[in-house]
Amino acid sequence: MLYIPGNNPAMLQQGSVYGADGVLLDLEDAVALNQKDAARILVSHMLQYVSYEGCEVTVRVNHIDTPFGEEDLKQIVPLQPDAIRLPKVETIDEISRIIQLVEDIENAHELPHDKMKIHVMIETALGVQNVYDIANYSSRIDAISIGGQDLAADMQLVKTNDGIGIDYARKQIVMAAKACKIDVFDTVYVDVENEEGLREEAEYIKKLGFTGKAIINPRQIEIVNEVFTPTEKEIRKAAKIVKAFERNKKEGIGVFAVDGKMVDAPVVQRALRVLEMADIDVADI
Amino acid sequence: MELKIKAQAGSFESSDVLIMVEPQPTGVGRKIELESIVMQQFGDDLLNQIHRDLDALGIDDIRVIINDKGALPPTISARLETALKRSAGLQAGTLT
């Protein structure tokens, strides 16, 4: 998911051409305090003009308790991007208040409550402690993400490249997302020049269970896509397992072997996930 | 929308436009000064768009100075709207 500063026309109009799965039009940290109005108006116009075909479009609004958050929601919610991203959510009371405001705006515009999804960012120690309750609060929340920079600041960490300080938070947030069966996105990797560092971090967070990773520069897209896209070998193996599962199911066999290794329901589930990640329909294999 | 003060929005960055607006006394009409790096190709379209947007907002007496660096129509409309709202003191949700 590629972050695009909300007050940058050149990047906003080109956002979908770089090959990211999603674009995140940012009204929050990427916009100077005295340009919040300009960014909000620009993003509103761009959403109505630019086709972000093939990309999920998310708008990150400002926190509801800032002077900008409510106005952001009033302008963006009626345009119904695929999702809005809420920064620095810490408590159930807060998410409840924001979703109520979103739905009041939707009611005023006679819009449904089930089209635009809500992404929640966890960026403080308190948010990490409450993450499951927050993620589980509403069926509209279909993804959570960790904001590493703000979390590190909130935890008063000395910044390191190995991410040790936020490791517990990453795992806690992944576990909450998995318990709620929603997507979970990792924080940005700010050292744009360090491609190897980005690859290592992407490989690590994939192993933790993250669905994807936020990026801040188009040159990071290829690396993250490479890490998260199953290899040909993984796809062939997954297809073989699913085919064998279908064959054995007809004969009433639940546990069987493929290439000498035991296959049961969880293995089939993982194989199906690999095919899903590769955009392969089970019916086509 | 009642314009009160001089205001501006946008930048000189590529694909952006800098728009300055200034209220004028009633009856003066619209004074529009346009500079664009694509003046030959899109100058008329850009002027027409500015007039359409001002018509939609019912603004007849105004001076508008536009320095265009190849902005798309949504950017032009957005920057004009921002400048006008700033001029009218309607920029809710921002810090100045």
Side-chain angles (χ1 to χ4, degrees), chain A residues 7-66:
Chain A
N7 202 33
N8 186 321
M11 290 189 73
L12 286 169
Q13 68 198 41
Q14 292 164 12
S16 62
V17 305
Y18 299 111
D21 295 325
V23 288
L24 200 155
L25 316 183
D26 190 15
L27 301 179
E28 201 214 10
D29 287 348
V31 177
L33 292 180
N34 64 357
Q35 295 299 323
K36 294 288 187 183
D37 58 335
R40 186 185 306 121
I41 292 168
L42 182 61
V43 166
S44 301
H45 281 268
M46 286 290 184
L47 283 173
Q48 296 170 76
Y49 183 89
V50 177
S51 166
Y52 291 102
E53 206 175 329
C55 273
E56 185 177 82
V57 179
T58 303
V59 179
R60 180 165 75 168
V61 295
N62 286 281
H63 191 275
I64 194 70
D65 291 335
T66 66

Side-chain angles (χ1 to χ4, degrees), chain A residues 7-10 13-14 33-43 45-46 49-50 67-68 71-72 75, chain B residues 9-11 14-17 70-75 77-79 81-82 85-86 91-96:
Chain A
N7 202 33
N8 186 321
Q13 68 198 41
Q14 292 164 12
L33 292 180
N34 64 357
Q35 295 299 323
K36 294 288 187 183
D37 58 335
R40 186 185 306 121
I41 292 168
L42 182 61
V43 166
H45 281 268
M46 286 290 184
Y49 183 89
V50 177
F68 328 114
E71 196 61 29
D72 287 350
Q75 290 232 6
Chain B
S11 74
S14 176
S15 300
D16 205 345
V17 58
L72 287 180
T75 303
S77 289
R79 297 318 194 190
E81 181 182 334
T82 305
K85 283 183 170 171
R86 286 175 175 176
Q91 69 275 44
T94 194
L95 294 180
T96 52

Side-chain angles (χ1 to χ4, degrees), chain A residues 232-246:
Chain A
E232 190 180 335
K233 190 178 166 188
E234 288 168 334
I235 294 167
R236 285 186 188 282
K237 187 179 165 191
K240 204 170 179 179
I241 288 169
V242 172
K243 270 197 230 171
F245 169 70
E246 296 294 341

